[in-house]
PDB file of all heavy atoms in Angstrom:
ATOM      1  N   LEU A   1      53.918-131.860 -11.927  1.00  0.00           N
ATOM      2  CA  LEU A   1      54.339-130.636 -11.244  1.00  0.00           C
ATOM      3  C   LEU A   1      54.684-130.906  -9.782  1.00  0.00           C
ATOM      4  O   LEU A   1      55.698-130.422  -9.277  1.00  0.00           O
ATOM      5  CB  LEU A   1      53.259-129.566 -11.370  1.00  0.00           C
ATOM      6  CG  LEU A   1      53.609-128.176 -10.862  1.00  0.00           C
ATOM      7  CD1 LEU A   1      54.924-127.669 -11.441  1.00  0.00           C
ATOM      8  CD2 LEU A   1      52.475-127.208 -11.183  1.00  0.00           C
ATOM      9  N   VAL A   2      53.880-131.694  -9.114  1.00  0.00           N
ATOM     10  CA  VAL A   2      54.178-132.061  -7.719  1.00  0.00           C
ATOM     11  C   VAL A   2      55.509-132.804  -7.657  1.00  0.00           C
ATOM     12  O   VAL A   2      56.344-132.541  -6.775  1.00  0.00           O
ATOM     13  CB  VAL A   2      53.040-132.904  -7.106  1.00  0.00           C
ATOM     14  CG1 VAL A   2      53.467-133.513  -5.776  1.00  0.00           C
ATOM     15  CG2 VAL A   2      51.790-132.055  -6.923  1.00  0.00           C
ATOM     16  N   ALA A   3      55.736-133.704  -8.590  1.00  0.00           N
ATOM     17  CA  ALA A   3      57.001-134.453  -8.617  1.00  0.00           C
ATOM     18  C   ALA A   3      58.189-133.520  -8.794  1.00  0.00           C
ATOM     19  O   ALA A   3      59.224-133.684  -8.128  1.00  0.00           O
ATOM     20  CB  ALA A   3      56.969-135.496  -9.737  1.00  0.00           C
ATOM     21  N   LEU A   4      58.067-132.534  -9.663  1.00  0.00           N
ATOM     22  CA  LEU A   4      59.149-131.569  -9.857  1.00  0.00           C
ATOM     23  C   LEU A   4      59.419-130.789  -8.577  1.00  0.00           C
ATOM     24  O   LEU A   4      60.571-130.589  -8.192  1.00  0.00           O
ATOM     25  CB  LEU A   4      58.812-130.608 -10.998  1.00  0.00           C
ATOM     26  CG  LEU A   4      58.832-131.174 -12.410  1.00  0.00           C
ATOM     27  CD1 LEU A   4      58.344-130.130 -13.406  1.00  0.00           C
ATOM     28  CD2 LEU A   4      60.211-131.669 -12.785  1.00  0.00           C
ATOM     29  N   VAL A   5      58.353-130.349  -7.930  1.00  0.00           N
ATOM     30  CA  VAL A   5      58.505-129.600  -6.680  1.00  0.00           C
ATOM     31  C   VAL A   5      59.200-130.455  -5.622  1.00  0.00           C
ATOM     32  O   VAL A   5      60.014-129.968  -4.844  1.00  0.00           O
ATOM     33  CB  VAL A   5      57.138-129.091  -6.166  1.00  0.00           C
ATOM     34  CG1 VAL A   5      57.247-128.534  -4.762  1.00  0.00           C
ATOM     35  CG2 VAL A   5      56.573-128.049  -7.120  1.00  0.00           C
ATOM     36  N   GLU A   6      58.905-131.746  -5.620  1.00  0.00           N
ATOM     37  CA  GLU A   6      59.509-132.658  -4.643  1.00  0.00           C
ATOM     38  C   GLU A   6      60.929-133.073  -5.022  1.00  0.00           C
ATOM     39  O   GLU A   6      61.571-133.817  -4.296  1.00  0.00           O
ATOM     40  CB  GLU A   6      58.624-133.890  -4.469  1.00  0.00           C
ATOM     41  CG  GLU A   6      57.314-133.570  -3.786  1.00  0.00           C
ATOM     42  CD  GLU A   6      56.362-134.756  -3.693  1.00  0.00           C
ATOM     43  OE1 GLU A   6      56.628-135.793  -4.339  1.00  0.00           O
ATOM     44  OE2 GLU A   6      55.356-134.622  -2.988  1.00  0.00           O
ATOM     45  N   GLY A   7      61.419-132.599  -6.175  1.00  0.00           N
ATOM     46  CA  GLY A   7      62.798-132.879  -6.567  1.00  0.00           C
ATOM     47  C   GLY A   7      63.004-134.121  -7.401  1.00  0.00           C
ATOM     48  O   GLY A   7      64.141-134.522  -7.637  1.00  0.00           O
ATOM     49  N   GLN A   8      61.924-134.734  -7.845  1.00  0.00           N
ATOM     50  CA  GLN A   8      62.063-135.917  -8.692  1.00  0.00           C
ATOM     51  C   GLN A   8      62.488-135.516 -10.092  1.00  0.00           C
ATOM     52  O   GLN A   8      62.133-134.441 -10.584  1.00  0.00           O
ATOM     53  CB  GLN A   8      60.747-136.685  -8.786  1.00  0.00           C
ATOM     54  CG  GLN A   8      60.321-137.386  -7.536  1.00  0.00           C
ATOM     55  CD  GLN A   8      59.044-138.183  -7.767  1.00  0.00           C
ATOM     56  OE1 GLN A   8      58.696-138.508  -8.891  1.00  0.00           O
ATOM     57  NE2 GLN A   8      58.353-138.480  -6.689  1.00  0.00           N
ATOM     58  N   THR A   9      63.217-136.409 -10.753  1.00  0.00           N
ATOM     59  CA  THR A   9      63.514-136.209 -12.161  1.00  0.00           C
ATOM     60  C   THR A   9      62.321-136.716 -12.974  1.00  0.00           C
ATOM     61  O   THR A   9      61.464-137.450 -12.452  1.00  0.00           O
ATOM     62  CB  THR A   9      64.766-136.986 -12.591  1.00  0.00           C
ATOM     63  OG1 THR A   9      64.499-138.392 -12.472  1.00  0.00           O
ATOM     64  CG2 THR A   9      65.984-136.593 -11.749  1.00  0.00           C
ATOM     65  N   LEU A  10      62.282-136.330 -14.235  1.00  0.00           N
ATOM     66  CA  LEU A  10      61.211-136.822 -15.100  1.00  0.00           C
ATOM     67  C   LEU A  10      61.268-138.339 -15.209  1.00  0.00           C
ATOM     68  O   LEU A  10      60.237-139.014 -15.213  1.00  0.00           O
ATOM     69  CB  LEU A  10      61.293-136.177 -16.475  1.00  0.00           C
ATOM     70  CG  LEU A  10      61.107-134.663 -16.526  1.00  0.00           C
ATOM     71  CD1 LEU A  10      61.202-134.159 -17.970  1.00  0.00           C
ATOM     72  CD2 LEU A  10      59.797-134.239 -15.894  1.00  0.00           C
ATOM     73  N   LYS A  11      62.475-138.880 -15.283  1.00  0.00           N
ATOM     74  CA  LYS A  11      62.647-140.336 -15.382  1.00  0.00           C
ATOM     75  C   LYS A  11      62.117-141.038 -14.123  1.00  0.00           C
ATOM     76  O   LYS A  11      61.436-142.051 -14.208  1.00  0.00           O
ATOM     77  CB  LYS A  11      64.126-140.656 -15.597  1.00  0.00           C
ATOM     78  CG  LYS A  11      64.410-142.096 -15.881  1.00  0.00           C
ATOM     79  CD  LYS A  11      65.882-142.312 -16.200  1.00  0.00           C
ATOM     80  CE  LYS A  11      66.162-143.764 -16.479  1.00  0.00           C
ATOM     81  NZ  LYS A  11      67.589-143.995 -16.792  1.00  0.00           N
ATOM     82  N   GLN A  12      62.418-140.484 -12.974  1.00  0.00           N
ATOM     83  CA  GLN A  12      61.916-141.069 -11.718  1.00  0.00           C
ATOM     84  C   GLN A  12      60.396-141.024 -11.674  1.00  0.00           C
ATOM     85  O   GLN A  12      59.752-141.986 -11.256  1.00  0.00           O
ATOM     86  CB  GLN A  12      62.497-140.332 -10.515  1.00  0.00           C
ATOM     87  CG  GLN A  12      63.960-140.557 -10.293  1.00  0.00           C
ATOM     88  CD  GLN A  12      64.546-139.602  -9.265  1.00  0.00           C
ATOM     89  OE1 GLN A  12      64.079-138.472  -9.092  1.00  0.00           O
ATOM     90  NE2 GLN A  12      65.606-140.032  -8.597  1.00  0.00           N
ATOM     91  N   HIS A  13      59.832-139.897 -12.082  1.00  0.00           N
ATOM     92  CA  HIS A  13      58.373-139.766 -12.069  1.00  0.00           C
ATOM     93  C   HIS A  13      57.736-140.748 -13.047  1.00  0.00           C
ATOM     94  O   HIS A  13      56.727-141.376 -12.720  1.00  0.00           O
ATOM     95  CB  HIS A  13      57.958-138.334 -12.394  1.00  0.00           C
ATOM     96  CG  HIS A  13      56.478-138.151 -12.406  1.00  0.00           C
ATOM     97  ND1 HIS A  13      55.708-138.232 -11.264  1.00  0.00           N
ATOM     98  CD2 HIS A  13      55.615-137.914 -13.422  1.00  0.00           C
ATOM     99  CE1 HIS A  13      54.433-138.053 -11.586  1.00  0.00           C
ATOM    100  NE2 HIS A  13      54.361-137.853 -12.890  1.00  0.00           N
ATOM    101  N   ALA A  14      58.318-140.883 -14.219  1.00  0.00           N
ATOM    102  CA  ALA A  14      57.790-141.828 -15.206  1.00  0.00           C
ATOM    103  C   ALA A  14      57.778-143.244 -14.641  1.00  0.00           C
ATOM    104  O   ALA A  14      56.776-143.970 -14.768  1.00  0.00           O
ATOM    105  CB  ALA A  14      58.611-141.769 -16.495  1.00  0.00           C
ATOM    106  N   ALA A  15      58.859-143.622 -13.989  1.00  0.00           N
ATOM    107  CA  ALA A  15      58.928-144.963 -13.393  1.00  0.00           C
ATOM    108  C   ALA A  15      57.896-145.135 -12.288  1.00  0.00           C
ATOM    109  O   ALA A  15      57.221-146.158 -12.204  1.00  0.00           O
ATOM    110  CB  ALA A  15      60.336-145.227 -12.857  1.00  0.00           C
ATOM    111  N   ALA A  16      57.742-144.114 -11.454  1.00  0.00           N
ATOM    112  CA  ALA A  16      56.787-144.185 -10.342  1.00  0.00           C
ATOM    113  C   ALA A  16      55.348-144.278 -10.840  1.00  0.00           C
ATOM    114  O   ALA A  16      54.504-144.924 -10.207  1.00  0.00           O
ATOM    115  CB  ALA A  16      56.947-142.970  -9.436  1.00  0.00           C
ATOM    116  N   GLN A  17      55.057-143.655 -11.966  1.00  0.00           N
ATOM    117  CA  GLN A  17      53.694-143.654 -12.519  1.00  0.00           C
ATOM    118  C   GLN A  17      53.481-144.774 -13.530  1.00  0.00           C
ATOM    119  O   GLN A  17      52.380-144.919 -14.062  1.00  0.00           O
ATOM    120  CB  GLN A  17      53.398-142.308 -13.174  1.00  0.00           C
ATOM    121  CG  GLN A  17      53.382-141.140 -12.218  1.00  0.00           C
ATOM    122  CD  GLN A  17      52.268-141.272 -11.192  1.00  0.00           C
ATOM    123  OE1 GLN A  17      51.113-141.493 -11.541  1.00  0.00           O
ATOM    124  NE2 GLN A  17      52.612-141.148  -9.926  1.00  0.00           N
ATOM    125  N   ALA A  18      54.536-145.519 -13.826  1.00  0.00           N
ATOM    126  CA  ALA A  18      54.488-146.613 -14.802  1.00  0.00           C
ATOM    127  C   ALA A  18      54.043-146.118 -16.176  1.00  0.00           C
ATOM    128  O   ALA A  18      53.182-146.710 -16.821  1.00  0.00           O
ATOM    129  CB  ALA A  18      53.602-147.754 -14.303  1.00  0.00           C
ATOM    130  N   VAL A  19      54.633-144.997 -16.584  1.00  0.00           N
ATOM    131  CA  VAL A  19      54.386-144.452 -17.923  1.00  0.00           C
ATOM    132  C   VAL A  19      55.744-144.211 -18.580  1.00  0.00           C
ATOM    133  O   VAL A  19      56.783-144.207 -17.917  1.00  0.00           O
ATOM    134  CB  VAL A  19      53.562-143.141 -17.884  1.00  0.00           C
ATOM    135  CG1 VAL A  19      52.176-143.379 -17.298  1.00  0.00           C
ATOM    136  CG2 VAL A  19      54.288-142.052 -17.110  1.00  0.00           C
ATOM    137  N   SER A  20      55.732-143.978 -19.877  1.00  0.00           N
ATOM    138  CA  SER A  20      56.993-143.751 -20.581  1.00  0.00           C
ATOM    139  C   SER A  20      57.517-142.349 -20.299  1.00  0.00           C
ATOM    140  O   SER A  20      56.756-141.426 -19.979  1.00  0.00           O
ATOM    141  CB  SER A  20      56.809-143.943 -22.084  1.00  0.00           C
ATOM    142  OG  SER A  20      56.183-142.811 -22.651  1.00  0.00           O
ATOM    143  N   ILE A  21      58.824-142.196 -20.450  1.00  0.00           N
ATOM    144  CA  ILE A  21      59.438-140.889 -20.278  1.00  0.00           C
ATOM    145  C   ILE A  21      58.887-139.915 -21.310  1.00  0.00           C
ATOM    146  O   ILE A  21      58.738-138.724 -21.030  1.00  0.00           O
ATOM    147  CB  ILE A  21      60.983-140.983 -20.328  1.00  0.00           C
ATOM    148  CG1 ILE A  21      61.632-139.633 -19.986  1.00  0.00           C
ATOM    149  CG2 ILE A  21      61.459-141.476 -21.680  1.00  0.00           C
ATOM    150  CD1 ILE A  21      61.457-139.180 -18.581  1.00  0.00           C
ATOM    151  N   ASN A  22      58.541-140.413 -22.491  1.00  0.00           N
ATOM    152  CA  ASN A  22      57.983-139.537 -23.523  1.00  0.00           C
ATOM    153  C   ASN A  22      56.625-138.982 -23.103  1.00  0.00           C
ATOM    154  O   ASN A  22      56.307-137.830 -23.401  1.00  0.00           O
ATOM    155  CB  ASN A  22      57.876-140.267 -24.856  1.00  0.00           C
ATOM    156  CG  ASN A  22      59.244-140.517 -25.454  1.00  0.00           C
ATOM    157  OD1 ASN A  22      60.176-139.758 -25.228  1.00  0.00           O
ATOM    158  ND2 ASN A  22      59.380-141.591 -26.201  1.00  0.00           N
ATOM    159  N   THR A  23      55.841-139.787 -22.414  1.00  0.00           N
ATOM    160  CA  THR A  23      54.550-139.316 -21.902  1.00  0.00           C
ATOM    161  C   THR A  23      54.769-138.178 -20.912  1.00  0.00           C
ATOM    162  O   THR A  23      54.095-137.144 -20.968  1.00  0.00           O
ATOM    163  CB  THR A  23      53.778-140.470 -21.231  1.00  0.00           C
ATOM    164  OG1 THR A  23      53.512-141.463 -22.208  1.00  0.00           O
ATOM    165  CG2 THR A  23      52.482-139.992 -20.596  1.00  0.00           C
ATOM    166  N   VAL A  24      55.715-138.350 -20.018  1.00  0.00           N
ATOM    167  CA  VAL A  24      56.001-137.319 -19.013  1.00  0.00           C
ATOM    168  C   VAL A  24      56.552-136.065 -19.688  1.00  0.00           C
ATOM    169  O   VAL A  24      56.196-134.947 -19.305  1.00  0.00           O
ATOM    170  CB  VAL A  24      56.954-137.857 -17.926  1.00  0.00           C
ATOM    171  CG1 VAL A  24      57.331-136.760 -16.943  1.00  0.00           C
ATOM    172  CG2 VAL A  24      56.309-139.025 -17.190  1.00  0.00           C
ATOM    173  N   ARG A  25      57.379-136.224 -20.696  1.00  0.00           N
ATOM    174  CA  ARG A  25      57.898-135.056 -21.414  1.00  0.00           C
ATOM    175  C   ARG A  25      56.767-134.293 -22.109  1.00  0.00           C
ATOM    176  O   ARG A  25      56.777-133.059 -22.150  1.00  0.00           O
ATOM    177  CB  ARG A  25      58.958-135.490 -22.429  1.00  0.00           C
ATOM    178  CG  ARG A  25      60.268-135.870 -21.779  1.00  0.00           C
ATOM    179  CD  ARG A  25      61.318-136.218 -22.807  1.00  0.00           C
ATOM    180  NE  ARG A  25      62.548-136.612 -22.151  1.00  0.00           N
ATOM    181  CZ  ARG A  25      63.300-137.627 -22.516  1.00  0.00           C
ATOM    182  NH1 ARG A  25      62.965-138.379 -23.551  1.00  0.00           N
ATOM    183  NH2 ARG A  25      64.405-137.909 -21.874  1.00  0.00           N
ATOM    184  N   THR A  26      55.799-135.033 -22.655  1.00  0.00           N
ATOM    185  CA  THR A  26      54.641-134.389 -23.278  1.00  0.00           C
ATOM    186  C   THR A  26      53.842-133.620 -22.232  1.00  0.00           C
ATOM    187  O   THR A  26      53.398-132.492 -22.471  1.00  0.00           O
ATOM    188  CB  THR A  26      53.754-135.432 -23.976  1.00  0.00           C
ATOM    189  OG1 THR A  26      54.537-136.087 -24.989  1.00  0.00           O
ATOM    190  CG2 THR A  26      52.524-134.810 -24.585  1.00  0.00           C
ATOM    191  N   GLN A  27      53.670-134.221 -21.058  1.00  0.00           N
ATOM    192  CA  GLN A  27      52.954-133.546 -19.975  1.00  0.00           C
ATOM    193  C   GLN A  27      53.721-132.312 -19.506  1.00  0.00           C
ATOM    194  O   GLN A  27      53.127-131.270 -19.220  1.00  0.00           O
ATOM    195  CB  GLN A  27      52.724-134.522 -18.813  1.00  0.00           C
ATOM    196  CG  GLN A  27      51.770-135.640 -19.178  1.00  0.00           C
ATOM    197  CD  GLN A  27      51.828-136.816 -18.221  1.00  0.00           C
ATOM    198  OE1 GLN A  27      52.790-137.008 -17.487  1.00  0.00           O
ATOM    199  NE2 GLN A  27      50.773-137.633 -18.255  1.00  0.00           N
ATOM    200  N   LEU A  28      55.046-132.401 -19.447  1.00  0.00           N
ATOM    201  CA  LEU A  28      55.870-131.261 -19.068  1.00  0.00           C
ATOM    202  C   LEU A  28      55.711-130.131 -20.083  1.00  0.00           C
ATOM    203  O   LEU A  28      55.577-128.966 -19.692  1.00  0.00           O
ATOM    204  CB  LEU A  28      57.336-131.673 -18.959  1.00  0.00           C
ATOM    205  CG  LEU A  28      58.324-130.550 -18.667  1.00  0.00           C
ATOM    206  CD1 LEU A  28      58.067-129.934 -17.301  1.00  0.00           C
ATOM    207  CD2 LEU A  28      59.749-131.065 -18.770  1.00  0.00           C
ATOM    208  N   ALA A  29      55.709-130.469 -21.361  1.00  0.00           N
ATOM    209  CA  ALA A  29      55.535-129.444 -22.398  1.00  0.00           C
ATOM    210  C   ALA A  29      54.181-128.753 -22.249  1.00  0.00           C
ATOM    211  O   ALA A  29      54.078-127.524 -22.390  1.00  0.00           O
ATOM    212  CB  ALA A  29      55.672-130.069 -23.780  1.00  0.00           C
ATOM    213  N   ALA A  30      53.146-129.531 -21.940  1.00  0.00           N
ATOM    214  CA  ALA A  30      51.818-128.948 -21.728  1.00  0.00           C
ATOM    215  C   ALA A  30      51.815-128.030 -20.504  1.00  0.00           C
ATOM    216  O   ALA A  30      51.205-126.957 -20.520  1.00  0.00           O
ATOM    217  CB  ALA A  30      50.775-130.051 -21.574  1.00  0.00           C
ATOM    218  N   LEU A  31      52.506-128.448 -19.439  1.00  0.00           N
ATOM    219  CA  LEU A  31      52.626-127.613 -18.235  1.00  0.00           C
ATOM    220  C   LEU A  31      53.278-126.276 -18.565  1.00  0.00           C
ATOM    221  O   LEU A  31      52.795-125.214 -18.160  1.00  0.00           O
ATOM    222  CB  LEU A  31      53.496-128.315 -17.186  1.00  0.00           C
ATOM    223  CG  LEU A  31      52.848-129.317 -16.269  1.00  0.00           C
ATOM    224  CD1 LEU A  31      53.907-130.076 -15.495  1.00  0.00           C
ATOM    225  CD2 LEU A  31      51.898-128.627 -15.333  1.00  0.00           C
ATOM    226  N   MET A  32      54.374-126.347 -19.281  1.00  0.00           N
ATOM    227  CA  MET A  32      55.101-125.117 -19.616  1.00  0.00           C
ATOM    228  C   MET A  32      54.245-124.187 -20.461  1.00  0.00           C
ATOM    229  O   MET A  32      54.248-122.970 -20.247  1.00  0.00           O
ATOM    230  CB  MET A  32      56.405-125.460 -20.324  1.00  0.00           C
ATOM    231  CG  MET A  32      57.424-126.091 -19.407  1.00  0.00           C
ATOM    232  SD  MET A  32      58.992-126.309 -20.238  1.00  0.00           S
ATOM    233  CE  MET A  32      60.049-126.644 -18.856  1.00  0.00           C
ATOM    234  N   ASP A  33      53.489-124.767 -21.389  1.00  0.00           N
ATOM    235  CA  ASP A  33      52.615-123.957 -22.226  1.00  0.00           C
ATOM    236  C   ASP A  33      51.494-123.326 -21.396  1.00  0.00           C
ATOM    237  O   ASP A  33      51.264-122.121 -21.477  1.00  0.00           O
ATOM    238  CB  ASP A  33      52.035-124.824 -23.344  1.00  0.00           C
ATOM    239  CG  ASP A  33      51.205-124.019 -24.320  1.00  0.00           C
ATOM    240  OD1 ASP A  33      51.710-122.995 -24.822  1.00  0.00           O
ATOM    241  OD2 ASP A  33      50.048-124.418 -24.569  1.00  0.00           O
ATOM    242  N   LYS A  34      50.820-124.120 -20.588  1.00  0.00           N
ATOM    243  CA  LYS A  34      49.701-123.621 -19.787  1.00  0.00           C
ATOM    244  C   LYS A  34      50.132-122.577 -18.762  1.00  0.00           C
ATOM    245  O   LYS A  34      49.390-121.638 -18.473  1.00  0.00           O
ATOM    246  CB  LYS A  34      49.009-124.773 -19.058  1.00  0.00           C
ATOM    247  CG  LYS A  34      48.182-125.657 -19.957  1.00  0.00           C
ATOM    248  CD  LYS A  34      47.513-126.761 -19.172  1.00  0.00           C
ATOM    249  CE  LYS A  34      46.660-127.635 -20.077  1.00  0.00           C
ATOM    250  NZ  LYS A  34      45.977-128.703 -19.322  1.00  0.00           N
ATOM    251  N   MET A  35      51.334-122.771 -18.214  1.00  0.00           N
ATOM    252  CA  MET A  35      51.786-121.878 -17.147  1.00  0.00           C
ATOM    253  C   MET A  35      52.697-120.768 -17.664  1.00  0.00           C
ATOM    254  O   MET A  35      53.148-119.925 -16.895  1.00  0.00           O
ATOM    255  CB  MET A  35      52.469-122.699 -16.051  1.00  0.00           C
ATOM    256  CG  MET A  35      51.489-123.654 -15.361  1.00  0.00           C
ATOM    257  SD  MET A  35      52.263-124.788 -14.190  1.00  0.00           S
ATOM    258  CE  MET A  35      52.806-123.674 -12.908  1.00  0.00           C
ATOM    259  N   GLY A  36      52.961-120.765 -18.960  1.00  0.00           N
ATOM    260  CA  GLY A  36      53.762-119.707 -19.563  1.00  0.00           C
ATOM    261  C   GLY A  36      55.208-119.693 -19.109  1.00  0.00           C
ATOM    262  O   GLY A  36      55.786-118.623 -18.927  1.00  0.00           O
ATOM    263  N   CYS A  37      55.781-120.869 -18.929  1.00  0.00           N
ATOM    264  CA  CYS A  37      57.159-120.977 -18.439  1.00  0.00           C
ATOM    265  C   CYS A  37      58.078-121.559 -19.509  1.00  0.00           C
ATOM    266  O   CYS A  37      57.644-122.346 -20.346  1.00  0.00           O
ATOM    267  CB  CYS A  37      57.214-121.875 -17.204  1.00  0.00           C
ATOM    268  SG  CYS A  37      56.338-121.206 -15.790  1.00  0.00           S
ATOM    269  N   GLN A  38      59.344-121.194 -19.417  1.00  0.00           N
ATOM    270  CA  GLN A  38      60.364-121.721 -20.326  1.00  0.00           C
ATOM    271  C   GLN A  38      61.274-122.744 -19.640  1.00  0.00           C
ATOM    272  O   GLN A  38      61.919-123.527 -20.308  1.00  0.00           O
ATOM    273  CB  GLN A  38      61.232-120.583 -20.865  1.00  0.00           C
ATOM    274  CG  GLN A  38      60.463-119.552 -21.653  1.00  0.00           C
ATOM    275  CD  GLN A  38      59.905-120.122 -22.937  1.00  0.00           C
ATOM    276  OE1 GLN A  38      60.585-120.856 -23.634  1.00  0.00           O
ATOM    277  NE2 GLN A  38      58.658-119.804 -23.228  1.00  0.00           N
ATOM    278  N   ARG A  39      61.328-122.684 -18.305  1.00  0.00           N
ATOM    279  CA  ARG A  39      62.232-123.558 -17.553  1.00  0.00           C
ATOM    280  C   ARG A  39      61.470-124.274 -16.446  1.00  0.00           C
ATOM    281  O   ARG A  39      60.490-123.759 -15.913  1.00  0.00           O
ATOM    282  CB  ARG A  39      63.364-122.741 -16.933  1.00  0.00           C
ATOM    283  CG  ARG A  39      64.197-121.990 -17.965  1.00  0.00           C
ATOM    284  CD  ARG A  39      65.255-121.112 -17.337  1.00  0.00           C
ATOM    285  NE  ARG A  39      64.674-120.212 -16.352  1.00  0.00           N
ATOM    286  CZ  ARG A  39      65.350-119.613 -15.381  1.00  0.00           C
ATOM    287  NH1 ARG A  39      66.638-119.814 -15.262  1.00  0.00           N
ATOM    288  NH2 ARG A  39      64.758-118.815 -14.532  1.00  0.00           N
ATOM    289  N   GLN A  40      61.968-125.461 -16.089  1.00  0.00           N
ATOM    290  CA  GLN A  40      61.330-126.237 -15.035  1.00  0.00           C
ATOM    291  C   GLN A  40      61.354-125.503 -13.699  1.00  0.00           C
ATOM    292  O   GLN A  40      60.389-125.561 -12.949  1.00  0.00           O
ATOM    293  CB  GLN A  40      62.015-127.603 -14.890  1.00  0.00           C
ATOM    294  CG  GLN A  40      61.756-128.530 -16.059  1.00  0.00           C
ATOM    295  CD  GLN A  40      62.413-129.869 -15.880  1.00  0.00           C
ATOM    296  OE1 GLN A  40      62.696-130.309 -14.766  1.00  0.00           O
ATOM    297  NE2 GLN A  40      62.675-130.548 -16.990  1.00  0.00           N
ATOM    298  N   ILE A  41      62.419-124.795 -13.412  1.00  0.00           N
ATOM    299  CA  ILE A  41      62.501-124.073 -12.143  1.00  0.00           C
ATOM    300  C   ILE A  41      61.406-123.022 -12.040  1.00  0.00           C
ATOM    301  O   ILE A  41      60.882-122.754 -10.958  1.00  0.00           O
ATOM    302  CB  ILE A  41      63.912-123.463 -11.917  1.00  0.00           C
ATOM    303  CG1 ILE A  41      64.043-122.899 -10.500  1.00  0.00           C
ATOM    304  CG2 ILE A  41      64.211-122.380 -12.938  1.00  0.00           C
ATOM    305  CD1 ILE A  41      63.990-123.929  -9.422  1.00  0.00           C
ATOM    306  N   ASP A  42      61.035-122.438 -13.170  1.00  0.00           N
ATOM    307  CA  ASP A  42      59.948-121.455 -13.151  1.00  0.00           C
ATOM    308  C   ASP A  42      58.609-122.117 -12.826  1.00  0.00           C
ATOM    309  O   ASP A  42      57.771-121.545 -12.139  1.00  0.00           O
ATOM    310  CB  ASP A  42      59.868-120.713 -14.476  1.00  0.00           C
ATOM    311  CG  ASP A  42      61.106-119.865 -14.740  1.00  0.00           C
ATOM    312  OD1 ASP A  42      61.720-119.400 -13.754  1.00  0.00           O
ATOM    313  OD2 ASP A  42      61.477-119.700 -15.916  1.00  0.00           O
TER     314      ASP A  42
END
């Protein structure tokens, strides 16, 4: 979430954290579910 706020792409964040893009996408899906959002901008 901090990375999104700072304007990073998921791919950039994955590289910075040394994790796969699929891991970050899974985390993004969990964020959207927990926060009740449909879009990253929300």
